[in-house]
Amino acid sequence: MSKFKVEIATGSDGSVSFDVPLRISKRGYRKLVQITSPDSAERPWDAQPTAMQRALGRAERWRRMLDSGEATSINEIAVRENTDFSYVARLLNLTVLAPPLAAAILDDTLPSGTTINDLAINPPLLWSEQVSRLELNRGPLRN
């Protein structure tokens, strides 16, 4: 059963209109449609992003800059972002993470104590080895 109330009205001309309690808010570069019912469940993506999520987003943005030709090198990105070359290079390694690890970052289900350095410094080439190494060092992914 639905947790919010949808009001349906019919016009004299046979038209039907729906009144659904929604709110549209900006979330980064996209718009998010939220149900405004007080009973609606809290969703993890409605909260502020974690440091790990921001780092993954930053790394994806930098990868897209390199792919599109907007930036020609890691040095150029570092100068634009006013940061160190090694930081940019380390974060770019997050773009080759195994899908379960990327999903765990976005869902905030990484083992507690996991840092960016655990994932970004010299990640194994095989995705299965990336997951195994993280689970060996930090424990299993949380549900």
Side-chain angles (χ1 to χ4, degrees):
M1 180 167 220
S2 176
K3 291 186 179 184
F4 59 93
K5 180 141 175 80
V6 176
E7 295 178 19
I8 302 171
T10 56
S12 60
D13 60 347
S15 63
V16 177
S17 65
F18 298 90
D19 186 7
V20 181
L22 297 175
R23 182 178 67 201
I24 299 175
S25 62
K26 192 170 181 182
R27 178 84 174 137
Y29 293 104
R30 63 185 176 95
K31 290 183 179 158
L32 179 67
V33 176
Q34 298 174 314
I35 298 172
T36 58
S37 169
D39 297 334
S40 64
E42 181 75 20
R43 299 176 302 181
W45 53 83
D46 287 339
Q48 290 294 327
T50 64
M52 192 78 75
Q53 291 166 342
R54 286 191 307 270
L56 184 63
R58 190 174 294 134
E60 258 320 300
R61 183 171 52 89
W62 292 342
R63 185 195 56 78
R64 276 188 260 119
M65 288 171 66
L66 289 170
D67 288 348
S68 69
E70 184 182 339
T72 57
S73 68
I74 296 174
N75 281 329
E76 186 178 331
I77 293 173
V79 169
R80 281 187 191 182
E81 299 288 329
N82 195 28
T83 190
D84 188 46
F85 166 85
S86 64
Y87 176 72
V88 175
R90 186 170 48 245
L91 282 194
L92 280 172
N93 283 335
L94 294 176
T95 63
V96 297
L97 284 179
L101 293 180
I105 290 172
L106 295 175
D107 294 339
D108 197 23
T109 58
L110 287 172
S112 61
T114 303
T115 65
I116 291 172
N117 290 342
D118 292 335
L119 300 172
I121 293 180
N122 196 22
L125 296 177
L126 295 176
W127 287 345
S128 59
E129 289 179 14
Q130 290 176 6
V131 174
S132 298
R133 185 170 90 175
L134 178 68
E135 289 179 340
L136 178 68
N137 292 337
R138 296 293 179 178
L141 298 175
R142 293 180 281 151
N143 290 333

